[in-house]
Amino acid sequence: MGKSPSAPPRSSVLGRGSYGEVLRIGEILRKETVGGILLVAAAVIALIWANSPVSDSYFALRDYRLGFEPWHLELSLGAWASDGLLAIFFFLVGLELKREFVAGDLRQFSKSVVPIAAAVGGVAVPAVIYALINLASPETLQGWAIPTATDIAFAVAVLAIIGSHLPSALRIFLLTLAVVDDLLAISIIAVFYSSDIQAGPLLLAILPLAVYTFLAQKYRRFFGTRPAAAWVILLPLGVITWAVVHASGIHATVAGVLLGFAIPVIRSQASGGPAAGPGLSEIFEHRFRPISAGIAVPVFAFFAAGVAVGGWDGLISALTDPVAIGIIVALVLGKPIGILGTTWLLTKATRASLDKSLKWIDVFGVSLLAGIGFTVSLLVAELSFGQGSAHDDHAKVGILAASLLAALLAAAVLVTRNRQYRAVQAEEAVDTDQDGIPDVYQEDRRG
């Protein structure tokens, strides 16, 4: 009898990624860790202030209005933070998304299908769980999208603290998952949380966005080598685009994503092509990430997280509200079920398998970590129920409680795994060549 043809090799799910991708992820981790710490600090300060004897001053500051009303821009400081400053965060999300799909590992279908599918599962399952818990109440049902998002800064900060020896594949998976998660959340905000759409301003927004895109694409080298030029030329066009989109009724953070998408990723041939160095997207990412992580997101968290709990009785009342219950169950249980379940199903339905250095318990730990929903969840809560409403306050309590619980559960799993991976990394160090690059990355580097 002849030999049967050998089966094709199984592709690796959650693989190591290219060496360049590992270096870039490490750099992002360091920056996001600082941002995550500032984010938590801002939220804690807001909670303490909002529940202190001088709480009135906090809410007076949050609700203080300024701006130009004829342009629909007379907003409270809290609204400026959520609509304005948070657009900077979503601008970075747009840059990161485009970079991943144009020049990152996600341009390869074999590497992108798993985190994308896992992100979809991590969005769908929590939404369904929340909806089932609040099915009898149409008023609270509209908050179904609150537990769908993962806070990348918060989650990465926790991972960096507890997982210094975890494989890079897990870190890349978490960041990719969170980025795709943000894209889905942005789509949800644009479709379900935009109201009274005005066609005139929406069409008008195309003009400054088109000019901005043309200039960024045509003169990418100019803006890359002259930092001041972006502030003088591109920033005003971006602000105009943001303002017109805001006036159209679409949430203004969507403008941030569109502006991020408009920035070119690949270095122009006139500048030496991709091999000559980073493109404008990566340059802008380096310039603006500190502003987002150090200012925009913490300030938003400061104004969004402040909720007057009302003592022990108020806390019990908030935690027994179906809104808070739905959020906590959806984030703490729904996220890992959706992410881990989708990943497992893909390995069974296709020829994909986990990277040999990983275990399913590792994926479970990261799936728990993805249950940290903070920045975007707080934003969606405000859009769902209105800032300062009872349901909004209860939703914030639920988000904070779920994020803390998810972080603790993930830490319990990953701290143990982190200890075990110390031995693995010690063995990998033996195979490191003279230039400090593991052999497994040499092929990627040469390519």
Side-chain angles (χ1 to χ4, degrees), residues 14-17 22 166-174 355 357-358:
L14 309 185
R16 300 170 187 267
V22 171
L166 291 174
S168 60
L170 279 182
R171 301 164 186 264
I172 293 173
F173 179 65
L174 175 62
D355 184 86
S357 67
L358 298 179

Side-chain angles (χ1 to χ4, degrees), residues 263-318:
I263 302 300
V265 173
I266 305 299
R267 196 179 182 94
S268 66
Q269 292 300 322
S271 301
L280 188 58
S281 177
E282 187 173 351
I283 293 173
F284 275 15
E285 186 179 328
H286 280 273
R287 291 179 187 173
F288 296 113
R289 188 176 294 279
I291 299 175
S292 173
I295 300 175
V297 175
V299 170
F300 165 76
F302 172 77
F303 285 115
V307 52
V309 177
W312 182 253
D313 291 339
L315 180 61
I316 296 299
S317 175

Side-chain angles (χ1 to χ4, degrees), residues 407-441:
L408 292 175
L409 292 173
V413 174
L414 294 177
V415 165
T416 301
R417 297 298 298 162
N418 189 58
R419 294 194 191 102
Q420 297 179 12
Y421 275 113
R422 289 178 183 175
V424 175
Q425 290 192 355
E427 292 179 7
E428 289 179 347
V430 177
D431 296 327
T432 302
D433 64 7
Q434 293 181 354
D435 65 0
I437 300 175
D439 293 338
V440 71
Y441 295 129

Side-chain angles (χ1 to χ4, degrees), residues 27 43 57 78 93 222 257 268 325 328 334 373 377 381 397 402 405 407-408 413 426 447:
E27 185 176 355
S57 60
V93 171
F222 174 73
V257 179
S268 66
I325 295 173
I328 294 172
S377 293
V397 172
L405 184 57
L408 292 175
V413 174

Side-chain angles (χ1 to χ4, degrees), residues 11-15 100-101 104-122 173 176-177 180 184 338-339 341-347 349-353:
S11 60
S12 175
V13 176
L14 309 185
E100 285 292 339
F101 285 102
D105 283 345
L106 291 187
R107 71 186 186 277
Q108 303 177 37
F109 178 78
S110 60
K111 293 184 178 180
S112 65
V113 62
V114 173
I116 290 176
V120 172
F173 179 65
T176 305
L177 184 74
V180 177
L184 297 175
I339 294 170
T342 303
T343 306
W344 183 83
L345 286 174
L346 274 179
T347 63
T350 67
R351 298 201 59 80
S353 62

Side-chain angles (χ1 to χ4, degrees), residues 57-125:
S57 60
Y58 169 82
F59 294 107
L61 177 65
R62 186 196 67 183
D63 297 334
Y64 181 78
R65 300 181 67 86
L66 74 162
F68 191 55
E69 176 57 32
W71 292 356
H72 305 285
L73 291 177
E74 185 179 356
L75 308 174
S76 67
L77 289 179
W80 275 111
S82 63
D83 291 3
L85 286 179
L86 211 55
I88 301 174
F89 166 78
F90 281 104
F91 173 75
L92 267 294
V93 171
L95 290 178
E96 184 67 19
L97 275 170
K98 186 174 181 180
R99 177 179 168 79
E100 285 292 339
F101 285 102
V102 172
D105 283 345
L106 291 187
R107 71 186 186 277
Q108 303 177 37
F109 178 78
S110 60
K111 293 184 178 180
S112 65
V113 62
V114 173
I116 290 176
V120 172
V123 167
V125 173

